[in-house]
Amino acid sequence: MPSGRVHEAINLTALGGAAAAYLAYGGSPEEPRALAFALAYLGGTFLLSPDLDLSERGVRAQRRWGLLGLLWRPYGWLFRHRGLSHTWVLGPLTRLGYLAVLLGGLLFLAQGVAAHLGMPFSLRLPPWPPEVWGFALLGYYLSQWLHLAADGLWPDHDLKRLKRPR
């Protein structure tokens, strides 16, 4: 299995090739859909790697979170390595769901502190059109799928496991 550096090199090479093709066909780097795609792809590559399920050893993605990387330890306890977290559809969703729970908890905490201090607090998501969010999701999923393909896990790997005689 490739190391974290190799996974990152594969993902960056693919993104660089896609960006070159996009620009060669007249695409603009300031296009919100392209920017959302690229940012989500990079976030999926560097911060939300499928290897976050390795709780016993600090993985590169977990270290990039700094002190907040400790919050990803329970994710590793919930999912065994190369289990559900390494599937093509549910795996990336588990990381997005876990991230949503983490952010919701931090937001709740921030609101409580702000209320205690008597400060106004509000958070609003950017008013992006739905297709921009779709391109962000596509970028995130493609980064995850390249990681899984580099690990030798194809979309049908769960089906093969089910077909094996017991």
Side-chain angles (χ1 to χ4, degrees):
M1 299 299 155
S3 70
R5 290 178 197 263
V6 172
H7 280 299
E8 292 165 3
I10 291 169
N11 279 22
L12 288 178
T13 302
L15 180 62
Y22 173 75
L23 294 173
Y25 282 102
S28 169
E30 297 170 2
E31 165 69 32
R33 293 177 293 191
L35 186 59
F37 176 89
L39 289 175
Y41 186 93
L42 291 171
T45 298
F46 292 110
L47 293 173
L48 295 174
S49 163
D51 289 336
L52 282 169
D53 61 6
L54 290 167
S55 65
E56 63 278 351
R57 297 179 300 239
V59 293
R60 294 170 63 84
Q62 196 176 59
R63 288 193 310 262
R64 283 197 176 93
W65 284 90
L67 189 56
L68 294 177
L70 292 173
L71 297 174
W72 284 95
R73 287 277 172 120
Y75 179 82
W77 299 333
L78 287 171
F79 301 101
R80 68 179 174 82
H81 188 54
R82 294 209 172 85
L84 179 64
S85 64
H86 272 65
T87 58
W88 280 64
V89 177
L90 292 177
L93 275 179
T94 63
R95 285 179 291 288
L96 285 180
Y98 190 82
L99 180 62
V101 167
L102 284 180
L103 291 177
L106 290 175
L107 180 62
F108 180 75
L109 216 98
Q111 284 178 333
V113 169
H116 180 70
L117 296 174
M119 299 170 54
F121 182 84
S122 70
L123 180 71
R124 296 179 192 184
L125 289 176
W128 293 339
E131 69 268 7
V132 172
W133 290 105
F135 273 86
L137 195 61
L138 177 65
Y140 169 69
Y141 261 91
L142 284 178
S143 74
Q144 304 296 295
W145 292 342
L146 272 177
H147 182 110
L148 296 176
D151 278 347
L153 302 174
W154 298 100
D156 65 346
H157 87 277
D158 286 334
L159 297 175
K160 288 179 184 175
R161 199 175 347 165
L162 290 174
K163 289 181 184 177
R164 268 191 251 149
R166 297 175 190 228

